[in-house]
Structure formats: structure tokens, C-alpha cells
């Protein structure tokens, strides 16, 4: 009896991965082994950068808060220390948004803690 191999499933799997690598440069898009390796490596980059994205945004928020706080003669660390001591629970994302888009509200917060 001849050996039975499921060509339909294996071809479909290869086509699926080659479809995911569409737009890559050179052999990375159409040579099976190269495309598969590139796609797998891309998944590891995606996982890593989902974590890094959180770090980058926190750093951006801190820079924005610091810039806005210095306009009102305070540093970032002084502002955050006083906010914590006063018991004002406002996160960096919201504080940075206020500093950028609503400077009056940010000034009100700074005046309250001064």
C-alpha cells in the first residue's frame, strides 16, 4: 500500500506562512525556509516590543510631565513626591495628557500641591 501523506494540509500550512510574509524583501517572502525563519523571528520581536512599548510610553509621559512642571518652577520628582504625599492619586498617563492638552488643569494641580 502506498504511503499516505497529507499534502493538502502541509501545502496549506506553507501557503499560510508565505501569505504572512508578503511584503518582505527578497527570499524572505517566497522561499519557504527563509520565510518561515523570518516569520518566527518576527513573532519574537513582536513579543519583546509589546513589553518595550509600555516602557517607552512611560518614559514619554515622564518627559512631558517634567517639561510642564518646570514651566511652573518644579521638577518632575518634586511634583510626583508632593502629589504622593498629598494623597492625590493621578497616574502619569492622565497627568501627561493634561500637561499637553489642558495646561490650565495641569496648572491647577500644581497650584494645589505647592
Amino acid at each position: 500500500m502506498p504511503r499516505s501523506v497529507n499534502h493538502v494540509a502541509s501545502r496549506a500550512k506553507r501557503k499560510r506562512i508565505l501569505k504572512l510574509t508578503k511584503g518582505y524583501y527578497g527570499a524572505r517572502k517566497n522561499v519557504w525556509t527563509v520565510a518561515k525563519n523570518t516569520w518566527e523571528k518576527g513573532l519574537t520581536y513582536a513579543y519583546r516590543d509589546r513589553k518595550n512599548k509600555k516602557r517607552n510610553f512611560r518614559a514619554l509621559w515622564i518627559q512631558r510631565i517634567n517639561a510642564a512642571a518646570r514651566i511652573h518652577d518644579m521638577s518632575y520628582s518634586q511634583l510626583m513626591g508632593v502629589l504622593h504625599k498629598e494623597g492625590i492619586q493621578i497616574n502619569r498617563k492622565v497627568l501627561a495628557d493634561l500637561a499637553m492638552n489642558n495646561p490650565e488643569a495641569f496648572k491647577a494641580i500644581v497650584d494645589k500641591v505647592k
Side-chain angles (χ1 to χ4, degrees):
M1 192 167 153
R3 182 168 150 252
S4 175
V5 285
N6 194 351
H7 281 303
V8 176
S10 55
R11 185 178 297 117
K13 183 179 178 185
R14 283 194 298 271
K15 280 184 74 170
R16 190 185 79 233
I17 290 175
L18 287 172
K19 191 175 177 186
L20 290 170
T21 59
K22 183 179 169 200
Y24 287 10
Y25 180 81
R28 291 168 163 244
K29 70 174 164 278
N30 55 14
V31 176
W32 164 244
T33 51
V34 180
K36 182 172 175 285
N37 292 339
T38 304
W39 172 73
E40 287 174 346
K41 184 85 173 206
L43 292 178
T44 63
Y45 287 144
Y47 176 80
R48 179 199 68 191
D49 291 336
R50 280 196 299 274
K51 311 298 172 211
N52 287 351
K53 184 179 178 182
K54 295 162 182 61
R55 284 182 224 160
N56 292 339
F57 269 102
R58 185 181 171 98
L60 176 67
W61 298 331
I62 289 170
Q63 289 168 5
R64 287 179 174 175
I65 295 165
N66 191 24
R70 285 183 187 276
I71 293 170
H72 303 293
D73 302 319
M74 282 184 107
S75 70
Y76 167 79
S77 61
Q78 290 170 337
L79 176 65
M80 295 309 282
V82 176
L83 282 173
H84 183 72
K85 196 161 55 176
E86 293 286 323
I88 298 172
Q89 301 243 330
I90 186 165
N91 65 18
R92 286 165 183 81
K93 181 179 179 179
V94 173
L95 209 52
D97 186 56
L98 288 175
M100 287 286 293
N101 300 321
N102 201 342
E104 317 77 53
F106 186 81
K107 186 178 182 335
I109 291 170
V110 172
D111 291 341
K112 183 167 174 54
V113 297
K114 264 191 177 175

